[in-house]
Amino acid sequence: MLRTALRNVLAHKARLLMTVLAVMLGVAFVAGTLVFTNTISDAYQKSSQKGYEGVDVAIAPDKKDDDATNPGDAPRLSQQLLDQAGKAAGAASAYGVVDGYSAVADKKGDLIGGGFSNRGGNYYPGPDGKDSRYTMTEGRAPKAIGEVALDSRTAERGHYKAGDSVRVSVDGPVRTEKVVGVFTTDDGNVAAGGTLALYDTATAQKLFGKPGQFDEIDVKAAAGTSQTTLKSAIDKILPEQAKATTGKKLAKDQAEAIEQGMSSMQTMMLVFAGIALFVGIFIIVNTFSMLVAQRTRELALMRAVGATRRQVTRSVLIEATIVGAIAAVVGLVAGIGIGAALRSVLNSTGANVPDGPLVVAPTTVLVSVLVGVVVTVLSAWLPGRRAAKIPPVAAMNSVHAAPTTRGLVVRNTIGAILAAGGIALVVAGAGMGGDGQGPMAFGAAVLVIGVFVLTPLLSRPLIAAASPVLRIFGMPGKLARQNAVRNPRRTAATASALMVGLTLITGMTVIAGSIQQAINKMAADGLRSDFVVSMGGGSARPLSPEVSKTLAKLPEVTSISPLRASPARIAGDSDSLTGVDPKAIRNLVNVDFTEGSFTALGGTKALIDDKIADDHGWKVGSTIPVTYEDGRKGRLTVGGVYEGNQMIRGVMVDSATVSPHMATVADFQVMLKAKGGATEANKDLLKKTLGENPAIKIQTKQDISDEIAMIFTLMLNMLYGLLAMAVIVAVLGVINTLAMSVFERSKEIGMLRAIGLDRRGIKRMVRLESLVISLFGGVLGLGLGLFFGWAAGELVATELPTYELVLPWGRMGLFLLMAALVGVIAALWPARRASKLNMLMAIKGE
């Protein structure tokens, strides 16, 4: 039986090629994902470990919110503690670390690093005048205010060298500093494409709002002293709300954090690899079903000369194992290439990955081979078992082919039950709010399986609906329709492969489009301001009050309010207060009040959103106990209750009330209205007034919507790219089915040629058959995608009140056109092959 299986593989190389390709693509996706994520994770971990090589024990704040005296307490580390740590038993040296945000502009004025990874720090020289964390390759370390050193990658990207002037921004206003040095570092942030600007310690502490204090103290052990011993000595001098951690523990925690962060990406990519493999299963089942059907007489003869059912099934499974193994090996090699390519693509986008080797772990090899073989063997088991059950005499007389009515009735009954149950679960999940994700996901899976089971039943009426159009093509069109419904199971498996991909693509498009419209509506309804000013790289970054003061002096600005957040305890719960200008805010935001109005805002009177009011049972006139950032206690009175949204919510108070309690007075946004509205001229004026600062964002309502839209578009395009693998596999499935169907019907095609159907007619028949099957899968995919998009949107609507279902008719038309294009492309080779059949040889052949 082994020799027979090998002979069959060699005899049907061309027919098995598509199966090999389908499995290979799925395995390549799996292997590529594992190689890529393992490589990135390993590179970051090694970079992180290298960064901790000079740290034996690190002292850091240990803020426990429940124990903190004040809501705004952010325990810092003093110079006194640093001196004590350096003199602790077993300590060789200690240095203080100051960290903050520092944006660096290139010589054209553009921000280097994108804003999210722009860091500033301090150069802390030891007794030898050097800081072991940084190696100066050019110039010297900064020693006074006005001086800065840049990491070598940032200097290279910005074309800076020692002696140049550079524009930087820490909290808004532009600072022009002199570059006095360029350094190299093992900092993982820099290795990943971020920027690092170093100042002398006193300047860094002043710039980042930490005079005389540090964010961390790193201690190096003396020779012969272990990290554990040093930690024990350090623990004895630690004040409250500070903790000591060994360098090994820090490196381990960092490695675990990186691994955990990469696992979500790995899981997402493996899900799409699983989808590609799931689609590939349809191809494998179709392939082996048709191969077995074409070899029924051969298998029957084997049964007649003594082969058992188990041996026949085993022969098919051995054949599948060989095919799966070949596909797995090729897929593994391709996956390694994909992993390397993904790293290059990631680097080309600016998200530079630390240098490191390509990691091909033993588990990657094992998983890839197992996935390829197991998926192929399981998919081939049913056709093999079905072939073994055919009685030898019936197989030799070819009376076995038509599926029984009873079999179809059972299949349709099971499919109807599954589909109905899936719909019920999805609808139930849609009505359960945030708790409905589990039931909805399970229901969606059951529904897809139910539709797949029902696809043979659905194929006849849906394909029949295309009859009027097919009649236009005459006899080829009529034959194409009949061929498409001749074997409903085969048509169903072929169409279902395309259905799965289009279901996901359509569903994601519906959700993304609806969310985007909700964001636009929210921005339009929630904001009345013309411009919103904030720091780049995240709206939570502190913005200097000087920004709002500078802008307020412009005669073109008619109304302006800085927004500042201060941590507080409100009725015992950790929360924050939002300080605003009570006179200006009513002109800058648009909220509906259920009680009170903006006129009540001021002094100790606050405005609260309806959610907070409902949670605490507060209304206008209620008294709110509050503990401010500095620990002082007070009471606020509810002056109004408004309907909160994603743009405006929380507790609003007068800035004059909250500012005296803030450790560092800073804004997170500035809202303003200008004469003439949100024009480009006004926007340019604001930019010029703020010194063309690349670190500051000046956005209109449309800019805010577009920024969010860009994130959704990027995510959607990434998902489209991942799902493209499933669509490619589906195309291979259509090609495979048609090619083998042509071989199976070669006698029939020869007869059609003999009675007058020319080669062009044969080609048209095969193309139309492919087109009909692909459009059938496309229609099913669009229908399921719309249903799932609606259901998922119901869950989103619970968190996004402005959410409304948006049907992307243009894109859906494009998807249907794509399905048609799949059919046309897939039919090219099978149609050409069919038209070239020698009619006499085809009629004569068995």
Side-chain angles (χ1 to χ4, degrees), residues 4 27 39 75 78 83 127 139 149 174 231 300 322 368 387 465 491 581 596 654 678 806 833:
T4 302
V27 171
T39 298
S78 66
D83 295 338
V174 176
K231 179 182 178 301
I322 295 169
S368 300
T491 298
D581 184 323
D654 188 339
V806 176
R833 182 182 179 190

mmCIF file of all heavy atoms in Angstrom, residues 4 27 39 75 78 83 127 139 149 174 231 300 322 368 387 465 491 581 596 654 678 806 833:
data_model
loop_
_atom_site.group_PDB
_atom_site.id
_atom_site.type_symbol
_atom_site.label_atom_id
_atom_site.label_comp_id
_atom_site.label_asym_id
_atom_site.label_seq_id
_atom_site.Cartn_x
_atom_site.Cartn_y
_atom_site.Cartn_z
ATOM 1 N N THR A 4 1.938 1.793 -3.508
ATOM 2 C CA THR A 4 0.785 2.295 -4.276
ATOM 3 C C THR A 4 0.586 3.786 -4.025
ATOM 4 O O THR A 4 0.341 4.556 -4.962
ATOM 5 C CB THR A 4 -0.493 1.521 -3.874
ATOM 6 O OG1 THR A 4 -0.288 0.136 -4.104
ATOM 7 C CG2 THR A 4 -1.687 2.003 -4.675
ATOM 8 N N VAL A 27 0.998 27.074 5.865
ATOM 9 C CA VAL A 27 2.153 26.753 6.719
ATOM 10 C C VAL A 27 3.157 27.911 6.694
ATOM 11 O O VAL A 27 3.738 28.270 7.728
ATOM 12 C CB VAL A 27 2.824 25.446 6.254
ATOM 13 C CG1 VAL A 27 4.143 25.231 6.994
ATOM 14 C CG2 VAL A 27 1.898 24.267 6.495
ATOM 15 N N THR A 39 11.845 36.539 16.352
ATOM 16 C CA THR A 39 13.002 37.376 16.025
ATOM 17 C C THR A 39 12.915 38.738 16.693
ATOM 18 O O THR A 39 13.880 39.214 17.301
ATOM 19 C CB THR A 39 13.126 37.547 14.495
ATOM 20 O OG1 THR A 39 13.337 36.266 13.891
ATOM 21 C CG2 THR A 39 14.278 38.463 14.135
ATOM 22 N N PRO A 75 5.994 59.488 44.385
ATOM 23 C CA PRO A 75 7.218 59.442 45.191
ATOM 24 C C PRO A 75 8.458 59.571 44.329
ATOM 25 O O PRO A 75 8.597 58.889 43.314
ATOM 26 C CB PRO A 75 7.151 58.079 45.889
ATOM 27 C CG PRO A 75 6.143 57.295 45.122
ATOM 28 C CD PRO A 75 5.188 58.268 44.556
ATOM 29 N N SER A 78 15.569 61.244 46.288
ATOM 30 C CA SER A 78 16.364 62.450 46.558
ATOM 31 C C SER A 78 17.850 62.229 46.315
ATOM 32 O O SER A 78 18.326 61.096 46.213
ATOM 33 C CB SER A 78 16.150 62.886 48.014
ATOM 34 O OG SER A 78 16.683 61.895 48.891
ATOM 35 N N ASP A 83 23.252 59.489 47.413
ATOM 36 C CA ASP A 83 24.548 59.464 48.110
ATOM 37 C C ASP A 83 24.652 58.264 49.043
ATOM 38 O O ASP A 83 25.700 57.604 49.123
ATOM 39 C CB ASP A 83 24.733 60.766 48.896
ATOM 40 C CG ASP A 83 24.838 61.978 47.984
ATOM 41 O OD1 ASP A 83 25.183 61.789 46.797
ATOM 42 O OD2 ASP A 83 24.539 63.099 48.448
ATOM 43 N N PRO A 127 32.951 59.570 39.194
ATOM 44 C CA PRO A 127 34.225 60.178 39.624
ATOM 45 C C PRO A 127 35.199 60.404 38.468
ATOM 46 O O PRO A 127 36.020 61.326 38.504
ATOM 47 C CB PRO A 127 34.795 59.146 40.614
ATOM 48 C CG PRO A 127 33.584 58.418 41.124
ATOM 49 C CD PRO A 127 32.643 58.355 39.953
ATOM 50 N N GLY A 139 32.459 65.099 20.448
ATOM 51 C CA GLY A 139 32.232 66.190 21.383
ATOM 52 C C GLY A 139 32.332 65.733 22.826
ATOM 53 O O GLY A 139 33.076 64.811 23.170
ATOM 54 N N ALA A 149 23.139 66.709 24.324
ATOM 55 C CA ALA A 149 23.837 65.667 23.552
ATOM 56 C C ALA A 149 22.773 64.771 22.931
ATOM 57 O O ALA A 149 21.741 64.493 23.551
ATOM 58 C CB ALA A 149 24.761 64.857 24.448
ATOM 59 N N VAL A 174 9.348 76.255 22.170
ATOM 60 C CA VAL A 174 10.546 75.778 21.482
ATOM 61 C C VAL A 174 11.794 76.284 22.201
ATOM 62 O O VAL A 174 11.866 77.438 22.618
ATOM 63 C CB VAL A 174 10.554 76.267 20.015
ATOM 64 C CG1 VAL A 174 11.847 75.859 19.334
ATOM 65 C CG2 VAL A 174 9.382 75.698 19.267
ATOM 66 N N LYS A 231 21.373 44.135 47.124
ATOM 67 C CA LYS A 231 19.967 44.511 47.328
ATOM 68 C C LYS A 231 19.624 44.508 48.823
ATOM 69 O O LYS A 231 18.917 45.404 49.319
ATOM 70 C CB LYS A 231 19.035 43.564 46.572
ATOM 71 C CG LYS A 231 17.545 43.873 46.761
ATOM 72 C CD LYS A 231 16.680 42.887 46.033
ATOM 73 C CE LYS A 231 15.203 43.169 46.254
ATOM 74 N NZ LYS A 231 14.777 43.136 47.664
ATOM 75 N N ALA A 300 -11.430 -0.174 -6.562
ATOM 76 C CA ALA A 300 -12.314 -1.348 -6.539
ATOM 77 C C ALA A 300 -11.549 -2.615 -6.909
ATOM 78 O O ALA A 300 -11.760 -3.685 -6.323
ATOM 79 C CB ALA A 300 -13.474 -1.136 -7.512
ATOM 80 N N ILE A 322 2.322 12.319 2.535
ATOM 81 C CA ILE A 322 3.458 12.697 1.666
ATOM 82 C C ILE A 322 3.257 14.111 1.136
ATOM 83 O O ILE A 322 4.163 14.952 1.176
ATOM 84 C CB ILE A 322 3.602 11.691 0.508
ATOM 85 C CG1 ILE A 322 3.966 10.302 1.056
ATOM 86 C CG2 ILE A 322 4.657 12.167 -0.484
ATOM 87 C CD1 ILE A 322 3.873 9.197 0.034
ATOM 88 N N SER A 368 5.305 23.857 12.260
ATOM 89 C CA SER A 368 5.067 23.979 10.817
ATOM 90 C C SER A 368 4.841 22.614 10.173
ATOM 91 O O SER A 368 3.898 22.429 9.394
ATOM 92 C CB SER A 368 6.250 24.684 10.147
ATOM 93 O OG SER A 368 6.442 25.967 10.682
ATOM 94 N N ALA A 387 -14.308 6.412 -0.019
ATOM 95 C CA ALA A 387 -13.886 5.522 -1.113
ATOM 96 C C ALA A 387 -13.843 4.071 -0.656
ATOM 97 O O ALA A 387 -14.220 3.158 -1.402
ATOM 98 C CB ALA A 387 -12.517 5.949 -1.623
ATOM 99 N N ALA A 465 -30.629 31.900 -10.303
ATOM 100 C CA ALA A 465 -30.951 33.322 -10.462
ATOM 101 C C ALA A 465 -30.084 33.978 -11.521
ATOM 102 O O ALA A 465 -30.441 35.027 -12.077
ATOM 103 C CB ALA A 465 -30.780 34.038 -9.131
ATOM 104 N N THR A 491 -19.259 22.224 -5.690
ATOM 105 C CA THR A 491 -19.484 23.664 -5.854
ATOM 106 C C THR A 491 -19.487 24.361 -4.502
ATOM 107 O O THR A 491 -18.920 25.441 -4.338
ATOM 108 C CB THR A 491 -20.823 23.912 -6.581
ATOM 109 O OG1 THR A 491 -20.763 23.325 -7.878
ATOM 110 C CG2 THR A 491 -21.101 25.398 -6.717
ATOM 111 N N ASP A 581 -11.590 77.161 31.767
ATOM 112 C CA ASP A 581 -11.977 78.553 31.934
ATOM 113 C C ASP A 581 -13.505 78.601 31.908
ATOM 114 O O ASP A 581 -14.116 78.317 30.875
ATOM 115 C CB ASP A 581 -11.406 79.396 30.795
ATOM 116 C CG ASP A 581 -11.695 80.881 30.966
ATOM 117 O OD1 ASP A 581 -12.794 81.225 31.439
ATOM 118 O OD2 ASP A 581 -10.827 81.701 30.621
ATOM 119 N N GLY A 596 -29.104 71.880 35.256
ATOM 120 C CA GLY A 596 -28.183 72.989 35.355
ATOM 121 C C GLY A 596 -27.651 73.443 34.001
ATOM 122 O O GLY A 596 -28.169 73.079 32.930
ATOM 123 N N ASP A 654 -13.456 75.042 37.791
ATOM 124 C CA ASP A 654 -12.723 76.240 37.399
ATOM 125 C C ASP A 654 -11.222 75.983 37.573
ATOM 126 O O ASP A 654 -10.789 75.457 38.599
ATOM 127 C CB ASP A 654 -13.170 77.399 38.294
ATOM 128 C CG ASP A 654 -12.613 78.742 37.830
ATOM 129 O OD1 ASP A 654 -11.598 78.751 37.103
ATOM 130 O OD2 ASP A 654 -13.188 79.767 38.206
ATOM 131 N N ALA A 678 -12.159 77.798 11.334
ATOM 132 C CA ALA A 678 -11.029 76.850 11.201
ATOM 133 C C ALA A 678 -10.444 76.901 9.798
ATOM 134 O O ALA A 678 -10.516 75.943 9.021
ATOM 135 C CB ALA A 678 -11.497 75.436 11.527
ATOM 136 N N VAL A 806 -23.398 51.818 9.044
ATOM 137 C CA VAL A 806 -23.154 52.409 7.720
ATOM 138 C C VAL A 806 -22.845 51.277 6.751
ATOM 139 O O VAL A 806 -21.932 50.486 6.992
ATOM 140 C CB VAL A 806 -21.980 53.411 7.761
ATOM 141 C CG1 VAL A 806 -21.676 53.926 6.361
ATOM 142 C CG2 VAL A 806 -22.293 54.561 8.695
ATOM 143 N N ARG A 833 -6.762 24.734 -21.036
ATOM 144 C CA ARG A 833 -6.488 23.302 -21.086
ATOM 145 C C ARG A 833 -7.676 22.544 -21.705
ATOM 146 O O ARG A 833 -7.488 21.627 -22.502
ATOM 147 C CB ARG A 833 -6.236 22.796 -19.660
ATOM 148 C CG ARG A 833 -5.880 21.328 -19.578
ATOM 149 C CD ARG A 833 -5.698 20.910 -18.135
ATOM 150 N NE ARG A 833 -5.383 19.502 -18.031
ATOM 151 C CZ ARG A 833 -5.359 18.823 -16.902
ATOM 152 N NH1 ARG A 833 -5.637 19.442 -15.769
ATOM 153 N NH2 ARG A 833 -5.066 17.540 -16.889
#
